[in-house]
Amino acid sequence: MKLFLMVYVDDIKMGGPDGAAMKEGWDLIRKGATMDDPTAAGKCLGCQHNVYDHEIDGNKVRVMEY
């Protein structure tokens, strides 16, 4: 599915391509856990996460700043 999952106590983050794989990943997790709907990156492990687009060497990239 090409997803990356981070779990620490009650902080859960998943990264990967948007679309069906991400939805399937969350659906699989929710089969065994009761949780709120996923939201955009925000505060996790006491750090604020800022997501923005940037250009590096002429390539558009998505950046996550902690």
Side-chain angles (χ1 to χ4, degrees), residues 23-40:
K23 181 183 180 329
E24 183 181 353
W26 283 119
D27 289 346
L28 287 169
I29 292 168
R30 292 176 123 181
K31 282 185 178 181
T34 302
M35 56 191 292
D36 295 334
D37 290 334
T39 61

Side-chain angles (χ1 to χ4, degrees), residues 45-58:
L45 299 177
C47 296
Q48 184 63 38
H49 294 59
N50 301 311
V51 180
Y52 58 93
D53 294 322
H54 190 67
E55 189 171 312
I56 298 176
D57 296 329

